[in-house]
């Protein structure tokens, strides 16, 4: 039987006891199939539930007054991109699918009762939000100080490590649904600039990118180019 993705995600942060794992897996959820580019929750909403991504990709974003979009983060199966809504009443950004996706909605009240009954789970969820903050700081550093080439190299490395931890990537290869425009919106780059960097990375033999499948051909060089150190992801290898 396939284990619950949220359990896998939480255990990539800290080990759950058997009781905690069973309690997490018994949370009442409503599963919905969503299409590509469908909002899961919108800015200014007052949600009464959190969403757990079971399949597909999603992103956090905000639309600016001039119609430009800023993507704050990409999300993969096992992520709970609006976990902060458990304590913050009003959404200050939106979350939408980047692919067709399967999303599980977890009501806030049972989740609050779970964390009250199992403080260890509450501590893990709190740590999850801290890791989320660490990723935001890393993205801010990249946008402020890395070159365009370094930022894209760093993003490719980050997504591989996150996907590998969830068993969704191996041998330095993975599906990469974000378009060039998505990457530009995430890193503050123009579509033309992203295209040029991708071409350079291909020409230098560092990556192969075709039909939204990324193969990192030289991990050591790509991670060096991006200054990538996975410490900020706070992932730990676990047995079993």
């Amino acid at each position: 039987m396939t284990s619950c993705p949220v359990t896998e995600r939480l255990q990539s942060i800290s080990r759950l006891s058997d009781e905690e794992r069973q309690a997490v897996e018994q949370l009442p959820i409503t599963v919905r199939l969503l299409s590509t580019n469908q909002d899961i929750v919108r800015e200014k909403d007052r949600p009464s539930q959190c969403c757990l991504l079971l399949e597909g990709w999603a992103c956090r974003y905000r639309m600016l007054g001039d119609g430009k979009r800023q993507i704050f983060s990409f999300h993969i199966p096992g992520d709970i991109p609006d976990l902060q809504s458990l304590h913050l009443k009003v959404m200050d950004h939106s979350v939408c699918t980047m692919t067709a996706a399967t999303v599980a909605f977890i009501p806030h009240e049972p989740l609050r009762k779970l964390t009250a009954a199992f403080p260890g789970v509450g501590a893990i969820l709190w740590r999850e939000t801290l890791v989320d903050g660490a990723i935001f700081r890393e993205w801010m550093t990249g946008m402020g100080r890395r070159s365009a080439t370094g930022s894209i190299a760093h993003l490719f490395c980050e997504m591989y490590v996150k996907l590998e931890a969830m068993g969704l990537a191996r041998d330095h290869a993975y599906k990469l649904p974000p378009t060039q425009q998505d990457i530009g919106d995430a890193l503050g780059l123009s579509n033309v600039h992203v295209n040029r960097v991708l071409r350079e990375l291909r020409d230098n033999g560092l990556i192969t990118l075709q039909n939204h499948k990324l193969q990192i051909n030289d991990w050591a060089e790509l991670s060096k180019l991006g200054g990538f150190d996975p410490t900020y992801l706070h992932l730990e290898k676990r047995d079993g």
Side-chain angles (χ1 to χ4, degrees):
M1 182 176 180
T2 304
S3 58
C4 175
V6 71
T7 302
E8 292 183 8
R9 177 57 177 152
L10 294 180
Q11 290 200 128
S12 75
I13 301 297
S14 182
R15 190 180 297 278
L16 294 171
S17 69
D18 289 342
E19 283 187 331
E20 289 170 338
R21 186 172 59 253
Q22 290 173 8
V24 170
E25 292 176 351
Q26 290 173 4
L27 282 169
I29 64 173
T30 299
V31 177
R32 293 176 56 196
L33 304 179
L34 304 181
S35 58
T36 305
N37 296 324
Q38 183 173 344
D39 280 332
I40 299 172
V41 62
R42 296 183 178 90
E43 186 177 359
K44 306 298 185 184
D45 280 355
R46 293 175 174 269
S48 60
Q49 56 193 1
C50 294
C51 65
L52 163 64
L53 194 60
L54 298 178
E55 294 180 358
W57 283 49
C59 70
R60 292 190 184 114
Y61 75 95
R62 283 191 68 186
M63 296 300 298
L64 304 182
D66 60 3
K68 294 180 180 179
R69 179 181 64 163
Q70 178 64 54
I71 291 177
F72 301 120
S73 54
F74 293 130
H75 293 278
I76 63 171
D79 283 353
I80 309 176
D82 62 346
L83 182 58
Q84 72 279 357
S85 71
L86 187 63
H87 299 293
L88 300 179
K89 294 182 179 180
V90 181
M91 291 293 294
D92 55 34
H93 62 277
S94 301
V95 179
C96 77
T97 62
M98 305 187 74
T99 66
T102 304
V103 180
F105 292 92
I106 310 168
H108 285 165
E109 190 56 33
L111 193 53
R112 291 191 185 100
K113 289 180 178 179
L114 172 69
T115 57
F118 295 92
V121 174
I124 294 171
L125 290 174
W126 170 232
R127 190 178 180 191
E128 174 74 347
T129 64
L130 295 178
V131 173
D132 203 38
I135 295 173
F136 272 121
R137 289 190 292 275
E138 195 67 25
W139 277 44
M140 184 180 296
T141 300
M143 292 183 67
R145 296 302 177 190
R146 290 192 184 97
S147 66
T149 301
S151 292
I152 291 176
H154 192 279
L155 175 64
F156 287 171
C157 292
E158 175 182 293
M159 297 314 303
Y160 176 73
V161 171
K162 287 186 65 179
L163 288 161
E164 184 189 38
M166 291 300 295
L168 299 172
R170 57 180 297 179
D171 300 327
H172 296 124
Y174 60 95
K175 292 181 180 179
L176 184 70
T179 64
Q180 289 186 22
Q181 185 64 56
D182 294 332
I183 293 171
D185 287 349
L187 302 179
L189 302 172
S190 70
N191 197 36
V192 172
H193 206 166
V194 173
N195 184 273
R196 183 165 64 248
V197 171
L198 293 179
R199 186 170 60 249
E200 290 175 355
L201 294 176
R202 288 191 188 99
D203 291 346
N204 291 330
L206 299 183
I207 67 168
T208 301
L209 180 58
Q210 188 173 14
N211 298 325
H212 292 286
K213 182 174 182 181
L214 177 70
Q215 174 69 57
I216 300 174
N217 300 319
D218 191 334
W219 174 264
E221 187 60 30
L222 190 71
S223 58
K224 180 180 178 181
L225 188 62
F228 179 70
D229 178 348
T231 302
Y232 70 98
L233 295 173
H234 298 280
L235 296 171
E236 301 178 21
K237 295 292 185 182
R238 302 277 176 188
D239 297 329

